[in-house]
Amino acid sequence: MLRGIYTGAAGMVAQMHRMDALSNNLANVDLNGYKRDTSIHKSFPELLIRRMSDDGVYVFPMGSADIAPIVGKLGLGVEQNEVYTAFTQGSLKETENMFDLALDGKGFFVIDTPIGERFTRNGAFTIGKEGMLLTKEGYPVLGENGPIHIKENNFIIDKLGRVFVNRALPEDPERLISMRENQWEETVQIDTLRVVDFEQERYLRKQGSSLWIDTEESGPAVKISEEKFPNVLQGFVESSNVSAVEEMVRMIEVNRAYEANQRAVSNHETITGKLLNEGVKV
């Protein structure tokens, strides 16, 4: 009888983990570059039930109990196995902000933080007082030669991540548009965005502020070859891959599953109480 209570309680805990992941997804539905989390569960080993006294008397055979008729299997509940992150591509949204960058394909921008290099898909960048390309939190975006130094309205980044500037041009937005139309003639390449990937990206660990850190399971960051290099789009950002409608539907499913397990625990508790109170009197 207590086994049913434990199984129902395990189901309730599993649904709580699912709800935590769904709530976090909905809270970050508008965060650029956010990747949806899914709580993955696994079942405990099942038990095979046999009817041991089919005719009232059961004789244990030598070395085997296979002659006992099989009744079925008994589940023992579930537990959380991992929180899986889906790295599917989010939709690309045009912002017309020259500091915004998006990766169309697999890969991560490399960010320099006080605690080491971190990785992100959130390309909503800005320019700092010292002329460096920064994240919203003020961390430098790294190129192949280190932090990228630019001037407002005087730089462009092509699809291969190459950063071009024209030091002789004034900070004139109209002149910048003319430079783009003329394919930036007479410009100088100062750096190339550092874009990396991982052998097992599913094992990257989130650290907040849209940043990721590599783990032993994910492997170290590796440079992407030119053949697999993602398109870098200037003036775009990647939206989150969370669908608010789908997450709400999953949340309803979780609520119903939690309530079902809760009723199962309550029913088992009621039956156990009757067995202890009324059965003793008989």
Side-chain angles (χ1 to χ4, degrees), residues 55-128:
D55 55 355
V57 178
Y58 176 73
V59 179
F60 189 87
M62 295 299 296
S64 176
D66 293 340
I67 64 172
I70 297 177
V71 176
K73 294 182 179 180
L74 176 64
L76 300 179
V78 298
E79 66 174 345
Q80 179 172 259
N81 189 26
E82 66 170 324
V83 176
Y84 170 77
T85 301
F87 284 93
T88 54
Q89 176 84 43
S91 60
L92 300 178
K93 179 173 59 179
E94 187 173 7
T95 64
E96 298 183 355
N97 183 348
M98 61 189 307
F99 300 113
D100 289 340
L101 301 174
L103 295 178
D104 186 11
K106 296 184 63 177
F108 296 84
F109 298 109
V110 183
I111 309 300
D112 185 21
T113 72
I115 55 177
E117 292 184 354
R118 297 296 183 265
F119 314 95
T120 187
R121 293 280 299 190
N122 186 353
F125 300 136
T126 184
I127 187 173

Side-chain angles (χ1 to χ4, degrees), residues 23-74:
S23 301
N24 190 51
N25 292 339
L26 286 175
N28 293 281
V29 66
D30 294 325
L31 179 61
N32 297 324
Y34 177 81
K35 300 304 178 185
R36 179 175 62 86
D37 287 335
T38 303
S39 181
I40 305 298
H41 303 112
K42 66 178 180 180
S43 61
F44 291 110
E46 295 182 334
L47 297 179
L48 187 63
I49 305 175
R50 295 176 180 271
R51 190 163 56 246
M52 304 302 291
S53 300
D54 192 32
D55 55 355
V57 178
Y58 176 73
V59 179
F60 189 87
M62 295 299 296
S64 176
D66 293 340
I67 64 172
I70 297 177
V71 176
K73 294 182 179 180
L74 176 64

Side-chain angles (χ1 to χ4, degrees), residues 126-134:
T126 184
I127 187 173
K129 295 180 179 179
E130 299 178 355
M132 287 193 299
L133 190 63
L134 306 175

Side-chain angles (χ1 to χ4, degrees), residues 19-281:
M19 181 63 75
D20 290 341
L22 293 173
S23 301
N24 190 51
N25 292 339
L26 286 175
N28 293 281
V29 66
D30 294 325
L31 179 61
N32 297 324
Y34 177 81
K35 300 304 178 185
R36 179 175 62 86
D37 287 335
T38 303
S39 181
I40 305 298
H41 303 112
K42 66 178 180 180
S43 61
F44 291 110
E46 295 182 334
L47 297 179
L48 187 63
I49 305 175
R50 295 176 180 271
R51 190 163 56 246
M52 304 302 291
S53 300
D54 192 32
D55 55 355
V57 178
Y58 176 73
V59 179
F60 189 87
M62 295 299 296
S64 176
D66 293 340
I67 64 172
I70 297 177
V71 176
K73 294 182 179 180
L74 176 64
L76 300 179
V78 298
E79 66 174 345
Q80 179 172 259
N81 189 26
E82 66 170 324
V83 176
Y84 170 77
T85 301
F87 284 93
T88 54
Q89 176 84 43
S91 60
L92 300 178
K93 179 173 59 179
E94 187 173 7
T95 64
E96 298 183 355
N97 183 348
M98 61 189 307
F99 300 113
D100 289 340
L101 301 174
L103 295 178
D104 186 11
K106 296 184 63 177
F108 296 84
F109 298 109
V110 183
I111 309 300
D112 185 21
T113 72
I115 55 177
E117 292 184 354
R118 297 296 183 265
F119 314 95
T120 187
R121 293 280 299 190
N122 186 353
F125 300 136
T126 184
I127 187 173
K129 295 180 179 179
E130 299 178 355
M132 287 193 299
L133 190 63
L134 306 175
T135 65
K136 296 296 184 181
E137 293 75 21
Y139 302 137
V141 181
L142 294 181
E144 297 294 341
N145 300 322
I148 299 175
H149 293 267
I150 55 177
K151 290 183 178 181
E152 188 172 1
N153 299 327
N154 196 26
F155 79 101
I156 193 171
I157 300 177
D158 67 4
K159 292 185 177 181
L160 296 178
R162 297 176 298 185
V163 184
F164 296 93
V165 299
N166 192 326
R167 306 179 192 279
L169 287 177
E171 296 181 359
D172 184 357
E174 295 183 359
R175 185 64 183 276
L176 176 64
I177 295 175
S178 176
M179 292 163 62
R180 286 177 174 171
E181 293 176 349
N182 296 327
Q183 301 298 319
W184 273 73
E185 297 178 357
E186 300 180 0
T187 58
V188 178
Q189 179 182 351
I190 61 170
D191 207 342
T192 301
L193 280 173
R194 190 175 163 200
V195 180
V196 298
D197 200 5
F198 301 86
E199 294 184 4
Q200 297 288 338
E201 63 181 14
R202 63 173 293 181
Y203 294 113
L204 291 174
R205 189 170 72 248
K206 291 183 177 180
Q207 285 209 315
S209 301
S210 301
L211 298 179
W212 301 79
I213 183 175
D214 56 331
T215 63
E216 183 177 352
E217 292 78 13
S218 70
V222 294
K223 185 178 179 180
I224 302 178
S225 62
E226 294 184 2
E227 296 78 13
K228 298 182 179 180
F229 200 88
N231 288 333
V232 180
L233 304 179
Q234 187 176 14
F236 288 79
V237 292
E238 180 187 0
S239 302
S240 70
N241 62 355
V242 177
S243 170
V245 175
E246 292 181 359
E247 297 302 298
M248 290 298 295
V249 171
R250 294 188 182 100
M251 189 170 288
I252 294 173
E253 294 176 353
V254 169
N255 282 327
R256 291 178 176 175
Y258 185 90
E259 291 172 357
N261 283 282
Q262 190 177 35
R263 287 194 299 269
V265 172
S266 179
N267 291 337
H268 275 81
E269 185 179 9
T270 301
I271 295 173
T272 303
K274 288 184 178 181
L275 177 64
L276 295 176
N277 294 327
E278 298 178 8
V280 173
K281 295 180 182 179

